[in-house]
Amino acid sequence: MLYFGQISVWGILLVIVLTGAAIAMLWLVDKKTVKKALLPRIHLPRVPRPLLLPLEGAMLLSTLALTGSMTLSLSCHAFWPLFIIMLLCLFYSTPHAFDVYLRSLKHTVTHRRYMIANGATHLESIVPCARRALRAAFLPMLWQRSSHMPLAMVLLFSALLLCGVTISAAIVITLMTWAAAIAAAVLAIVLTIWLADRQLFDKQGNISF
């Protein structure tokens, strides 16, 4: 089990030097990417109020599940920092993915009615829309230019070094957190779609919002 030790002065200096060098190299390669990473513009889509409860409940359940599974191999003292990091990641990705799902449902009304008229079930008719939502959920978590995940992982790695964690342990924890965030994003949007299904559709299968 891993425990946080005392803050090391040499660790602070090392993190500052490495972070500064990394930002300087990125600045020379692509200034726009550095500006987007350091000054992110977060725009959250508007979700109908009746669907906010399923969305928030799915985010909370996914965060608790993945954070609890991670703390089984780490110290219990790391639960709340990991919980906050995971929730912030989902706060950025899940509303966008759910908005993609809602817009996809509205744009494919004719196709879904055609599938149902030809014998498809309600679940089969919404699968294409759910796939688009899943892609929108985990793609921001990947190592892409438009993603804020690299900056978050660098900050987490730096914070672990400042807390006295060894470099090898910090790398392992950072990679575990990254993988858990991707899994939590996928789980959150699946739970959101499942919990909001009854409120989103009426008895005839039409969208209520």
Side-chain angles (χ1 to χ4, degrees), residues 24 27 39 54-55 77 133 165 169:
W27 182 267
L39 299 173
L55 177 65
H77 296 85
V165 179

Side-chain angles (χ1 to χ4, degrees), residues 35-36 61 85 95 106 127 130 132 137-138 151 209:
K35 290 181 179 180
K36 289 181 180 180
L61 290 176
I85 293 173
K106 294 179 181 178
V127 164
R132 297 186 183 96
F138 73 82
L151 179 61
F209 301 95

Side-chain angles (χ1 to χ4, degrees), residues 167-187:
I167 295 179
S168 59
I171 293 175
V172 172
I173 295 175
T174 303
L175 293 177
M176 288 178 60
T177 305
W178 184 27
I182 296 176
V186 174
L187 180 60

Side-chain angles (χ1 to χ4, degrees), residues 66-135:
L66 271 300
T67 306
S69 63
M70 286 189 64
T71 51
L72 293 177
S73 56
L74 303 176
S75 171
C76 59
H77 296 85
F79 177 81
W80 288 112
L82 293 175
F83 179 83
I84 295 174
I85 293 173
M86 205 80 63
L87 191 61
L88 288 176
C89 293
L90 296 186
F91 182 77
Y92 175 74
S93 65
T94 308
H96 285 278
F98 191 55
D99 181 65
V100 170
Y101 177 70
L102 294 178
R103 287 188 284 109
S104 180
L105 288 176
K106 294 179 181 178
H107 292 163
T108 58
V109 173
T110 305
H111 179 66
R112 288 189 296 104
R113 289 178 178 175
Y114 173 80
M115 292 180 63
I116 294 175
N118 285 271
T121 62
H122 172 71
L123 179 61
E124 292 173 344
S125 66
I126 64 173
V127 164
C129 302
R131 289 176 179 172
R132 297 186 183 96
L134 287 174
R135 287 196 294 266

